[in-house]
Amino acid sequence: MSLKPLRVAIVHDWLVTYAGAERVLREMLTLYPQADLFAVVDFLSDADRERLLGKQAQTTFIQNLPWARKKYRGYLPLMPLAIEQLDLSAYDLVLSSSHAVAKGVLTGPDQLHICYCYTPIRYAWDLQHQYLRESGLKGWKGALARLMLHYIRLWDARTALGVDHFVADSAYIARRVRKVYRREAAVIYPPVAVDSFPLREDKEDFYLAASRLVPYKRLDLIVAAFRSLPDKRLVLIGDGPEMDKIRALAGANVEILGYQPDAVLRDHLQRARALIFAAEEDFGILPVEAQACGTPVIAYGRGGVRETVLEGQTGVFFEEQSAEAIVAAVQGFEALPTFSPAACRANAEGFSEERFRRDFAALVSARWREFQEGARCHQMVDSGGQ
């Protein structure tokens, strides 16, 4: 067995903010501090870079294109070409952190490539039609978008063959990986900073919704539902392009706070009677953070939330995205016995950062041992045939 240090490359799609995928990236960098970091673009602020242990990514030519800082997503058609230009030939182990193009890096037979997959490119596969509707692209622009997404699908499916092992962030995404790539994926849930969300046993008489105000989050349905529940109070935290629509829908019992810092969100998560969550998410960190605070969740019963909320123990589900379903869910929630804050907290602790580091390190170590053993077997066969 070689005694040389393991040379590790970590490839992330793009670095422009610190969100859920970057939390996973941080844990990867913590596990493999010797790793070199790569991304399509890197425009992180100094504060966010400190969260990633000060790492600066090696980037692609898109970094230097006009308006890339603000309009990097507009260069999606060029990203397959860009990611393939990253030279990773000097590395033994390649870890891609991918929801778009990172998994498409080129690797050779003497390199192990493990992809942590947040999702196959959503707007190119089963959510294409929803994406086109919400973007308002019609006529020749719509036709061009369809052609571009067709090209992205072909590239995405082909490059899945270059990944040795997939790891999905939920069983829900593992099913999508199987459907799109015809590959099996291990499941390791993303890290949630549960220790940053202390348990609070006493709750106040209001419901909480929090998110960026974009269409797929379906905050409009939650606000509309509370028009039919005038005796219930809703607090909404978040900002985004749907703010005007949300304000127009809100009744007197809905308090819209707009964007708030983490401390304010945490305080409301601790005090709320329940979090209401209407999006279909691949995993969904916020419901876990709420449970860490001892707060149950009322959620749309599709996606990763089915794996993070225990029905009847730490929350309840509604089965369709409609205001009527949310109204019925709130009323059903209030008819149930009081949910145990301690049970909510105990469930959340199963998604901790420590658990992610332990499980991910164990998986990588096992796959690396298998890879080395396979390489030795091939060398013995080759030597015997000479």
Side-chain angles (χ1 to χ4, degrees):
M1 181 181 295
S2 171
L3 298 178
K4 67 181 181 181
L6 188 65
R7 297 168 298 181
V8 182
I10 300 179
V11 188
H12 197 64
D13 289 307
W14 46 73
L15 290 166
V16 295
T17 188
Y18 189 87
E22 287 69 39
R23 299 184 191 194
V24 174
L25 178 60
R26 173 187 170 86
E27 298 306 320
M28 289 183 179
L29 291 169
T30 300
L31 286 169
Y32 307 100
Q34 80 275 28
D36 291 327
L37 180 60
F38 297 83
V40 172
V41 296
D42 182 351
F43 295 117
L44 281 181
S45 67
D46 291 341
D48 285 342
R49 193 172 308 285
E50 284 305 307
R51 294 178 174 184
L52 294 181
L53 314 185
K55 288 277 188 177
Q56 181 88 35
Q58 299 180 45
T59 58
T60 71
F61 64 84
I62 293 177
Q63 178 85 12
N64 300 314
L65 292 180
W67 311 293
R69 180 180 291 272
K70 297 292 185 181
K71 303 291 186 181
Y72 64 95
R73 290 180 187 271
Y75 289 115
L76 179 64
L78 295 178
M79 288 185 186
L81 173 63
I83 206 74
E84 290 176 350
Q85 305 313 303
L86 294 175
D87 183 2
L88 305 184
S89 58
Y91 299 92
D92 306 304
L93 172 64
V94 175
L95 303 175
S96 57
S97 166
S98 183
H99 63 81
V101 299
K103 73 163 183 45
V105 290
L106 302 179
T107 56
D110 295 326
Q111 297 173 287
L112 178 65
H113 179 184
I114 299 174
C115 173
Y116 190 88
C117 183
Y118 307 97
T119 178
I121 307 176
R122 285 182 292 187
Y123 37 86
W125 291 98
D126 52 309
L127 298 185
Q128 173 191 277
H129 302 294
Q130 177 182 332
Y131 162 74
L132 291 171
R133 281 195 305 271
E134 292 176 355
S135 66
L137 293 173
K138 298 178 181 178
W140 70 268
K141 290 183 179 180
L144 186 61
R146 286 179 171 83
L147 180 62
M148 183 269 290
L149 292 173
H150 173 72
Y151 154 69
I152 291 290
R153 280 192 295 276
L154 293 175
W155 177 86
D156 193 37
R158 178 184 63 77
T159 56
L161 299 173
V163 175
D164 295 295
H165 299 282
F166 277 98
V167 182
D169 66 352
S170 65
Y172 171 65
I173 292 304
R175 293 195 297 273
R176 296 193 75 226
V177 168
R178 187 181 307 117
K179 177 73 173 180
V180 171
Y181 302 142
R182 299 301 181 188
R183 298 284 302 278
E184 295 301 315
V187 175
I188 297 180
Y189 294 112
V192 181
V194 294
D195 290 342
S196 298
F197 293 84
L199 171 65
R200 176 168 167 164
E201 297 274 353
D202 58 309
K203 303 298 177 182
E204 299 178 13
D205 194 19
F206 71 90
Y207 293 90
L208 177 68
S211 171
R212 179 160 167 73
L213 306 186
V214 293
Y216 89 94
K217 296 289 190 178
R218 305 318 309 266
L219 275 301
D220 58 327
L221 297 180
I222 299 174
V223 172
F226 274 77
R227 291 183 69 92
S228 301
L229 297 166
D231 59 328
K232 314 296 181 191
R233 180 178 167 224
L234 174 70
V235 175
L236 190 152
I237 293 176
D239 201 355
E242 293 228 309
M243 177 61 86
D244 290 343
K245 177 182 179 181
I246 297 297
R247 289 192 185 280
L249 285 171
N253 61 328
V254 176
E255 182 180 5
I256 300 174
L257 299 183
Y259 169 79
Q260 295 295 325
D262 291 346
V264 174
L265 174 60
R266 181 169 54 247
D267 174 65
H268 282 79
L269 284 171
Q270 290 178 304
R271 294 188 291 116
R273 185 171 184 178
L275 172 74
I276 304 184
F277 192 78
E280 180 179 347
E281 292 279 15
D282 304 330
F283 174 73
I285 289 176
L286 188 64
V288 178
E289 293 173 340
Q291 291 172 88
C293 295
T295 300
V297 179
I298 301 172
Y300 177 48
R302 289 194 61 182
V305 74
R306 275 284 183 184
E307 302 166 52
T308 61
V309 176
L310 304 177
E311 188 168 18
Q313 300 178 54
T314 68
V316 299
F317 297 118
F318 50 95
E319 298 305 323
E320 65 177 39
Q321 286 177 311
S322 69
E324 294 76 17
I326 295 172
V327 169
V330 171
Q331 292 170 337
F333 171 83
E334 293 194 350
L336 293 171
T338 302
F339 285 75
S340 164
C344 292
R345 174 71 188 190
N347 185 51
E349 288 175 346
F351 302 93
S352 68
E353 295 167 320
E354 179 183 359
R355 184 270 322 155
F356 175 87
R357 287 193 292 268
R358 181 187 67 241
D359 291 354
F360 190 75
L363 181 140
V364 171
S365 294
R367 298 293 85 81
W368 179 249
R369 285 194 300 272
E370 292 171 1
F371 181 71
Q372 287 186 305
E373 290 167 2
R376 283 196 295 271
C377 288
H378 284 299
Q379 289 173 355
M380 292 174 63
V381 170
D382 292 342
S383 298
Q386 292 179 353

